[in-house]
Amino acid sequence: MSQWKQIQQLEIRLLEHVDYLYDDNFPMDIRQGLAGWIESQDWDTAATDESMATVLFSNLLTQLDRVRSDEQNFLQRHNMKIIQQQLQVKYTTNPAVMAKVISTCLREERRILSSACMQEQGPLEKSLQSSVAFERQKNMDNRVGIIRGSVQLMDQAVKYIEDMQDDFDFRYKTLQSRDSTDRNSDMMKQEVTRLQEMLNRLDFKRKEILSKMDVVVKEIDDLMTSQLSPELQDWKRRQQIAAIGGPQLTGLEQLQGWFTLTAQSLFQIKRQLDKLGELVVKVTYECDPIPLQKPQLEERVKYLLYHLIKSSFVVEKQPCMPTHPQKPLIIKTGVQFTTKVRLLVKLPEVDYQLKVKTTFDKDLPPGRVRQFFILTNNTKVMDIEDYSNGCLSVEFRHLQLKEKKYINGTKGNEGLLSVTEELHSLSFEACFTVQGLTIDLETCSLPLVVISNVSQLPGGWASVMWYNLLTDEPRNLAFFGNPPRATWSQLSEVLSWQFSTFAGQGLNKDQLSMLGEKLLGQHASCSDYQVSWSKFSKENIPGKPFSFWMWLDSILELIKKHLLPVWNENYIMGFVSKETERTLLKDREPGTFLLRFSESHLGGITFTWVEHKDNGEVKFNSVEPYTKNRLSALPFADIIRDYKVISDGVVPENPLKFLYPDIPKDEAFGRLYNCQPSKVHPYIPSHLIPISVHPDASSTPLSCQSPEPPMTPGEFNMLNEHLCFDLDTMSSPYSE
């Protein structure tokens, strides 16, 4: 069943999350109309490969042409045409952006499907998608709208005061121009009385508008403190969670809208105050409220504008190497990485080009030895992007780090922390003037891990996960000096995200329970059990030469590169222990097998099948684990299809009959077999066949126990030679 069909069968609660994924950047009409084709393309690679993205974008437009021509409904054809034109305008010059959008949507769909398989959402995901958050955002929309409306009404009030003052000014000057002999006339006295009434009304309106401004400024101040700032912090927290595989990061456009509307209101109040200042030059009087109250209001408006714009300078895309788009915040020396900053306020004017400068490790914690500098150009000018609704942003695409050398020519030695526990940061600075207000901007990335070898990548990713799971501090570079513990409920949720992100499907409750037993032993059933950083990433598993995380990360790599089709069919039981494996298989039909990951090999998968002897004895057989080297030569589904055992000198046979619990092998794996015939026609097609030698085959005398003649040692050696494949050695009950 296609991913899109599975999505359509979800309950309403989850479908609402799916609906949130699709907008003008990637309309749901396209997802629906091209579901099969979209899911068959490699959008992850295209997101970092411009030429591949260009080809896919062209193919997508061709597919849309086909769908549109086949559509019978006139309105649907019209809508598809409009969508196609919008896509061409948006992505023709940057198709990789489109590939990134589609890749993100597909990955988020898989995460939602995975969450549907679990009985309940994890604590982090539940908190990010609570109805309270949605209600809070609706309230924010309403409050910003009310403030904006109040400011617009104040514009009309200021214009009314200006007209009233012009009328007063005209009448007053007219009266002044009259002959002094007429000043004691009754008409003159009436005119003076009328002018006094106008001045009183003008004074009342001036006080009224200043009072309204004071109320609105206080409302904006409260909005920024009680709602806008917390919403920004909430977005930054969700950015942390998305960085480690959590729900897709959304809401930046909404946040930008709130920031921009609030800034526009403040700029408009500032202009209104400037206008009142102009009116005072023309008409003023004793106890005029404008000179008394305007300076304080102006200072408050400038203060709010300064802090609003300063806080709106955010890192939109955290530093990430294009070679590892799903593992941000890890930088390898000498390898280019990208990052992007954005100003969430749409500015009315900037006096000059807004240059942003990046600095690495601006303020290092004491005792830090390893130091780095940016090798490439570290300054760029912010520009307005078409799809950012007029806001300024800048993307640094070619940054590189180099480690500093010291006077003696050597690099800094490592301190007490390991390389992957040392945290660094990338700072961004800018300064500009807008409407007479000079603003210094500064923000920084989330803490980074700098590595010098790809072998350090798993350890670096463990550090990134642990930090962003357990703290919302934006720049605690000393975090691993005394890292906090994580509860198993927190950690298990993040581990499931890793499988959802890298393997296409998260872990269900049973698989997480098995992992818990692996890591926690007898404490696995306690969701609040505290797991230390050392136990997760540094200490070796008892009796093994590797840590829990190194073992799990090697499994993720194996799935991603060699087992994806089998994993996404839910055919791999995964983390079952040997003891549980025997319990599951002992009462099953002979030849029933299950797939699990090796407990003693890094990145290995094995299968175990059950046999029933004539004397009632139950026997379990496990093949030596297959690792990436062997799976590179032969797809895993083909191994299962062609697997043979040589036992007691008889002709090799496949002992694998039923995938646990009782699915016929070919029914389960048939569509995953590689059935492509050889294209080299002059030659006889050849196949690699995995074979295991039963341990008692060499000790049992050759005897004809089957209708077929036994295989002689010479025939076996010839078969071994022509298969061009290392024959597996299998032990029983286990070879691990």
Side-chain angles (χ1 to χ4, degrees):
M1 185 184 297
S2 72
Q3 183 171 306
W4 187 244
K5 286 184 178 179
Q6 294 179 60
I7 287 289
Q8 292 172 311
Q9 294 178 5
L10 294 174
E11 57 182 287
I12 297 297
R13 174 182 63 85
L14 293 172
L15 284 175
E16 289 176 353
H17 297 317
V18 175
D19 181 60
Y20 200 62
L21 298 176
Y22 295 96
D23 52 23
D24 291 342
N25 290 322
F26 184 35
M28 192 178 288
D29 303 65
I30 299 178
R31 182 68 180 95
Q32 170 77 23
L34 302 179
W37 181 82
I38 287 172
E39 291 173 26
S40 65
Q41 309 305 310
D42 187 358
W43 300 104
D44 291 344
T45 303
T48 58
D49 186 330
E50 194 73 30
S51 60
M52 183 177 178
T54 302
V55 171
L56 282 183
F57 180 58
S58 176
N59 292 344
L60 182 133
L61 296 178
T62 302
Q63 292 290 327
L64 283 177
D65 281 332
R66 177 186 59 78
V67 171
R68 188 157 53 90
S69 62
D70 294 341
E71 179 59 57
Q72 300 299 314
N73 185 290
F74 172 75
L75 181 59
Q76 281 294 98
R77 281 204 310 273
H78 173 75
N79 290 340
M80 292 297 285
K81 181 179 179 181
I82 296 300
I83 289 173
Q84 188 170 1
Q85 291 172 345
Q86 291 174 340
L87 291 178
Q88 287 176 310
V89 171
K90 192 181 293 284
Y91 297 125
T92 296
T93 57
N94 200 354
V97 173
M98 179 205 68
K100 175 66 174 176
V101 169
I102 298 177
S103 170
T104 301
C105 287
L106 292 177
R107 185 170 67 251
E108 185 66 8
E109 283 181 7
R110 292 193 294 268
R111 190 198 58 76
I112 293 172
L113 285 172
S114 296
S115 69
C117 297
M118 301 177 67
Q119 288 191 354
E120 60 179 19
Q121 291 176 306
L124 275 173
E125 190 164 347
K126 190 181 294 184
S127 67
L128 296 176
Q129 298 181 348
S130 67
S131 58
V132 176
F134 291 121
E135 287 300 319
R136 190 180 68 235
Q137 290 164 3
K138 287 181 181 178
N139 176 266
M140 186 74 177
D141 284 334
N142 183 55
R143 195 173 177 187
V144 169
I146 290 174
I147 289 174
R148 195 80 189 106
S150 298
V151 174
Q152 299 285 13
L153 290 175
M154 289 194 308
D155 246 6
Q156 298 175 22
V158 171
K159 182 67 170 67
Y160 179 79
I161 291 172
E162 183 181 17
D163 292 341
M164 182 188 294
Q165 178 173 304
D166 286 344
D167 187 22
F168 172 85
D169 190 45
F170 175 76
R171 288 176 177 272
Y172 180 78
K173 288 180 178 178
T174 301
L175 183 65
Q176 289 288 96
S177 66
R178 288 188 180 180
D179 195 301
S180 59
T181 58
D182 296 334
R183 292 184 178 179
N184 293 324
S185 66
D186 292 340
M187 185 179 295
M188 194 71 156
K189 291 178 181 179
Q190 291 176 359
E191 184 65 22
V192 170
T193 301
R194 187 180 298 112
L195 281 172
Q196 185 61 52
E197 291 174 351
M198 291 180 68
L199 184 60
N200 290 341
R201 192 161 63 251
L202 182 62
D203 181 65
F204 173 79
K205 286 296 182 182
R206 284 186 173 185
K207 290 177 179 177
E208 182 182 56
I209 189 64
L210 288 168
S211 176
K212 287 182 178 178
M213 285 182 177
D214 183 64
V215 170
V216 173
V217 170
K218 286 180 179 177
E219 178 70 7
I220 292 175
D221 191 356
D222 183 68
L223 174 81
M224 289 171 55
T225 303
S226 65
Q227 287 188 271
L228 194 54
S229 179
E231 287 293 340
L232 177 61
Q233 296 309 311
D234 179 69
W235 179 85
K236 289 181 177 180
R237 180 58 180 155
R238 286 186 285 116
Q239 186 185 48
Q240 283 186 272
I241 298 303
I244 57 175
Q248 177 189 1
L249 181 63
T250 57
L252 189 61
E253 298 299 326
Q254 187 179 44
L255 198 59
Q256 176 180 297
W258 294 332
F259 267 87
T260 295
L261 288 174
T262 304
Q264 287 174 348
S265 295
L266 287 169
F267 277 122
Q268 199 164 348
I269 293 172
K270 186 174 181 296
R271 289 194 296 271
Q272 292 166 357
L273 287 168
D274 290 341
K275 188 65 179 178
L276 291 179
E278 294 174 9
L279 295 181
V280 170
V281 174
K282 295 179 181 179
V283 175
T284 189
Y285 46 88
E286 188 178 353
C287 296
D288 186 348
I290 294 178
L292 294 175
Q293 298 179 38
K294 176 175 173 284
Q296 291 86 350
L297 275 173
E298 280 183 326
E299 286 303 311
R300 286 167 59 194
V301 169
K302 287 180 180 179
Y303 175 85
L304 292 176
L305 267 173
Y306 179 87
H307 287 281
L308 180 71
I309 296 175
K310 192 175 180 67
S311 65
S312 76
F313 191 46
V314 299
V315 181
E316 180 180 352
K317 294 180 182 178
Q318 293 292 334
C320 180
M321 296 185 292
T323 52
H324 295 83
Q326 294 168 335
K327 289 186 176 179
L329 304 174
I330 302 177
I331 307 301
K332 182 179 179 296
T333 52
V335 174
Q336 289 186 354
F337 64 95
T338 66
T339 186
K340 182 179 181 181
V341 292
R342 185 170 179 175
L343 199 63
L344 296 179
V345 172
K346 182 179 179 180
L347 298 173
E349 62 182 59
V350 179
D351 289 355
Y352 53 86
Q353 287 185 327
L354 208 170
K355 294 182 179 180
V356 178
K357 179 182 178 182
T358 62
T359 307
F360 198 80
D361 278 346
K362 183 179 179 182
D363 298 304
L364 276 177
R368 185 63 58 86
V369 180
R370 297 171 72 232
Q371 296 183 31
F372 303 87
F373 64 93
I374 297 175
L375 191 61
T376 47
N377 181 25
N378 66 337
T379 303
K380 289 190 73 173
V381 176
M382 297 190 87
D383 198 3
I384 297 176
E385 291 183 324
D386 294 335
Y387 59 85
S388 67
N389 195 26
C391 285
L392 292 166
S393 65
V394 60
E395 184 168 14
F396 294 86
R397 296 187 177 182
H398 306 291
L399 296 176
Q400 266 188 62
L401 288 183
K402 185 178 179 64
E403 187 169 356
K404 288 183 178 179
K405 290 187 177 181
Y406 295 85
I407 297 176
N408 58 8
T410 62
K411 297 180 180 179
N413 297 321
E414 298 176 15
L416 296 176
L417 299 177
S418 69
V419 169
T420 55
E421 291 175 319
E422 279 189 3
L423 299 179
H424 306 263
S425 72
L426 186 65
S427 302
F428 304 87
E429 296 174 305
C431 182
F432 69 100
T433 301
V434 56
Q435 293 193 0
L437 186 64
T438 300
I439 301 175
D440 296 310
L441 299 176
E442 183 174 1
T443 189
C444 65
S445 69
L446 289 169
L448 306 170
V449 174
V450 180
I451 62 175
S452 56
N453 192 293
V454 290
S455 64
Q456 298 165 334
L457 194 62
W461 185 238
S463 296
V464 170
M465 286 193 298
W466 203 262
Y467 183 95
N468 291 287
L469 167 64
L470 296 177
T471 182
D472 58 3
E473 294 182 78
R475 198 170 177 273
N476 182 2
L477 303 187
F479 177 83
F480 284 103
N482 183 25
R485 292 170 176 259
T487 64
W488 172 241
S489 61
Q490 290 176 310
L491 186 56
S492 62
E493 185 177 12
V494 174
L495 294 181
S496 182
W497 290 345
Q498 304 315 300
F499 281 82
S500 178
T501 300
F502 296 102
Q505 183 166 291
L507 303 178
N508 59 37
K509 186 178 180 181
D510 290 338
Q511 290 169 325
L512 287 173
S513 178
M514 296 173 196
L515 275 183
E517 291 177 7
K518 180 79 173 176
L519 179 62
L520 310 177
Q522 61 182 357
H523 303 290
S525 59
C526 180
S527 62
D528 293 330
Y529 186 79
Q530 301 279 317
V531 183
S532 70
W533 161 246
S534 181
K535 187 174 183 64
F536 173 71
S537 178
K538 302 179 75 173
E539 297 174 7
N540 287 344
I541 297 172
K544 304 293 188 298
F546 45 77
S547 68
F548 173 84
W549 169 246
M550 291 300 292
W551 172 73
L552 196 61
D553 181 74
S554 67
I555 289 172
L556 279 164
E557 284 295 311
L558 191 72
I559 294 174
K560 181 180 178 181
K561 295 180 179 178
H562 302 290
L563 302 174
L564 215 49
V566 182
W567 173 259
N568 286 327
E569 291 290 344
N570 291 314
Y571 291 158
I572 301 176
M573 187 164 289
F575 311 104
V576 61
S577 67
K578 297 175 183 178
E579 293 74 17
T580 304
E581 179 182 65
R582 292 188 178 192
T583 302
L584 294 173
L585 290 175
K586 67 179 181 180
D587 295 325
R588 294 293 169 179
E589 288 291 320
T592 301
F593 66 100
L594 58 76
L595 311 177
R596 66 174 178 85
F597 298 114
S598 171
E599 294 181 306
S600 59
H601 289 65
L602 282 178
I605 186 169
T606 183
F607 44 82
T608 300
W609 71 93
V610 63
E611 293 179 359
H612 296 281
K613 300 296 185 180
D614 293 338
N615 61 2
E617 179 189 355
V618 179
K619 192 174 184 181
F620 304 94
N621 303 283
S622 293
V623 73
E624 183 183 345
Y626 288 89
T627 58
K628 61 182 181 180
N629 293 333
R630 299 163 73 192
L631 291 174
S632 298
L634 198 61
F636 192 56
D638 288 3
I639 289 174
I640 293 172
R641 177 191 62 191
D642 299 328
Y643 181 73
K644 298 289 189 297
V645 171
I646 297 178
S647 180
D648 298 329
V650 299
V651 173
E653 63 176 22
N654 192 329
L656 309 179
K657 308 298 182 186
F658 304 99
L659 176 66
Y660 180 86
D662 55 8
I663 308 173
K665 176 189 65 179
D666 291 337
E667 180 182 320
F669 297 95
R671 67 188 191 87
L672 303 179
Y673 294 154
N674 182 11
C675 299
Q676 296 180 355
S678 173
K679 297 181 180 180
V680 187
H681 299 293
Y683 300 99
I684 298 174
S686 60
H687 300 279
L688 296 176
I689 301 176
I691 292 181
S692 288
V693 180
H694 200 284
D696 57 7
S698 59
S699 60
T700 302
L702 291 176
S703 61
C704 189
Q705 298 181 356
S706 76
E708 300 294 334
M711 182 181 292
T712 67
E715 290 172 329
F716 175 80
N717 292 334
M718 184 179 295
L719 177 62
N720 185 11
E721 179 181 350
H722 284 83
L723 283 175
C724 299
F725 193 91
D726 291 335
L727 298 182
D728 299 319
T729 301
M730 188 188 76
S731 65
S732 177
Y734 292 95
S735 62
E736 291 190 65

